[in-house]
DNA sequence: AGTTTATGTCAGTCTTGTTGACTTTCCAAG
DNA sequence: CTTGGAAAGTCAACAAGACTGACATAAACT
């Protein structure tokens, strides 16, 4: 087994993985450089609106789960409520997000995109999807499955929970 | 073709890719959540040293290419020199990085990790490699190849250049 | 000699994260 | 029923790390 592994460092067959520090380092740098590309297009667009990445994240997840509460958004984004609040305040003031007091629990605020908010969301996600689509196409179908599998394994358990929660919506 | 594509959205066979916005959205969120996991361990460690992610990045690439110049580091990291300078200044002051005046071109500063710097680098990269290794193992060999292929496709051309430059070192 | 390049620094701003203190609302134990 | 704590959200102040712009120095190039 050890011998086969040496001959097939990251073989595609039935061999086990034999991973050198060097190969792992390349994976790490791939993540670093790719994430830059991943955020580049939305970042460019956001400058025209005087918003930042934090606004993009809020808009994305409010769009994914309309009516989500501030608290739920907090645990998804992993920031403090004060930090998120500043972002939400500006989005609400600018009329991109609507905040409705909860019916059952009046402490909660349920968040929705307005038509303006949905329009920005589409502009941002279209740019990001175009890049993702191009990457998927050029890499091929098997690569996409592998990409998703490794990324899932890289998540912390709670992040994985949030990720999978978005599957059944 | 359209029919087969519908039946095999991201088939592994000879079918072309048929990508719904929903599938692309999952890929986008996978990147978001996975990047958090990717940086979680180093971030935790860095708190003990009163450093941030910016210091980690500098340390990583100085370790990858010892003797690199400030200018080269700038184009890899994609930040302004003022921003990088603040980070380098503190690392040099704390004795983790050494800056040597260039021999041929005395305007250049060549950067090296000291023994202390190399020690922190090992601590950080070990944590990050462990996570990457675990993700690779759980996802399997074919997944790793796909992961790398998609990430490369996601990079901007200049990032890809820097990424590939690190292959032959 | 004059220009460009590589680096460093000062000052000021912006985004986005943090902690601390506060209000409103809900719920449950006495 | 009341009261005290927990939960959700808001306001204020601060810190890290990015940015721009201006300027300085030294070395290299033309």
């Amino acid at each position: 087994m050890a011998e086969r592994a040496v001959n097939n460092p990251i073989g595609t067959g039935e061999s086990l993985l034999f991973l050198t520090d060097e190969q792992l380092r390349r994976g790490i740098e791939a993540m670093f450089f790719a994430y830059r590309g991943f955020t580049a297009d939305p970042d460019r667009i956001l400058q025209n609106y005087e918003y930042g990445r934090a606004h993009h994240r809020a808009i994305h997840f409010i769009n994914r789960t309309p009516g989500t509460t501030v608290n739920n958004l907090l645990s998804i984004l992993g920031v403090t409520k004060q930090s998120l609040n500043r972002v939400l305040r500006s989005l609400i003031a600018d009329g991109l997000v609507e905040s409705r007091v909860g019916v059952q629990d009046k402490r909660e605020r349920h968040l929705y995109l307005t038509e303006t908010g949905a329009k920005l969301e589409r502009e941002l996600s279209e740019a990001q999807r175009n890049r993702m689509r191009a990457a998927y196409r050029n890499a091929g179908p098997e690569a996409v499955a592998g990409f998703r599998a490794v990324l899932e394994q890289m998540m912390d358990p709670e992040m994985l929970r949030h990720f999978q929660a978005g599957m059944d919506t």
Side-chain angles (χ1 to χ4, degrees), chain A residues 61-126:
Chain A
F61 286 104
I62 293 172
N63 177 68
R64 182 185 83 164
T65 318
T68 187
T69 63
V70 173
N71 226 13
N72 184 41
L73 210 47
L74 277 177
S75 84
I76 290 178
L77 298 177
V79 296
T80 58
K81 59 181 176 176
Q82 296 88 333
S83 192
L84 175 59
N85 187 257
R86 179 169 358 93
V87 168
L88 287 179
R89 210 186 315 166
S90 70
L91 289 174
I92 292 168
D94 297 349
L96 283 90
V97 167
E98 194 190 344
S99 165
R100 302 183 200 155
V101 173
V103 184
Q104 289 144 3
D105 190 333
K106 290 178 189 164
R107 294 172 301 178
E108 294 180 339
R109 302 288 186 276
H110 298 271
L111 304 168
Y112 300 87
L113 292 186
T114 64
E115 192 40 60
T116 316
K119 196 171 151 231
L120 176 56
E121 195 283 330
R122 280 193 294 274
E123 185 180 353
L124 291 168
S125 66
E126 252 176 55

Side-chain angles (χ1 to χ4, degrees), chain A residues 130-145:
Chain A
N130 285 344
R131 185 182 287 251
M132 186 71 69
R133 188 180 296 117
Y136 275 9
R137 277 195 196 285
N138 293 333
E142 307 95 25
V144 171

